[in-house]
Amino acid sequence: MYSKTVTVANEVGLHARPATYLIQKANEYKCGLWIEEGERRVNAKSLLGVLSLGVVQGTEICIVGDGADEQEAVDELVRLIQSNFNE
């Protein structure tokens, strides 16, 4: 298991479009991926799950991976979030 914490900096947080980018990237990997915010943990490959967190700008989340390509997957999702979803 591998995890990293990142702060969501884009204006809309993990709303529809950024969440879609995140899920598309997460689905490129074979490992299990989760997003943790506070006490909640959701599947990073599920749009409904990610949107249900209601992550807004400035929220600190933890990306967790478990599987063969976990480190690469987590690092890539963190990069995507840090880049403000390339917007």
Side-chain angles (χ1 to χ4, degrees):
M1 192 165 296
Y2 180 76
S3 65
K4 275 192 171 176
T5 301
V6 62
T7 300
V8 178
N10 66 313
E11 289 182 25
V12 295
L14 285 182
H15 197 11
R17 189 174 14 186
T20 300
Y21 293 149
L22 183 85
I23 291 153
Q24 287 172 343
K25 183 58 72 179
N27 278 302
E28 293 177 11
Y29 297 94
K30 294 180 181 180
C31 66
L33 289 163
W34 296 272
I35 298 174
E36 295 178 346
E37 191 273 321
E39 297 293 316
R40 300 189 60 206
R41 181 182 204 182
V42 299
N43 184 341
K45 297 180 180 184
S46 163
L47 181 60
L48 189 57
V50 173
L51 291 176
S52 74
L53 286 176
V55 174
V56 295
Q57 183 179 28
T59 302
E60 189 173 86
I61 60 173
C62 184
I63 309 294
V64 180
D66 189 17
D69 52 0
E70 64 190 29
Q71 186 169 352
E72 180 185 352
V74 169
D75 289 343
E76 186 58 34
L77 293 182
V78 168
R79 273 193 292 278
L80 181 64
I81 293 167
Q82 289 173 334
S83 74
N84 289 330
F85 302 91
N86 300 316
E87 292 184 344

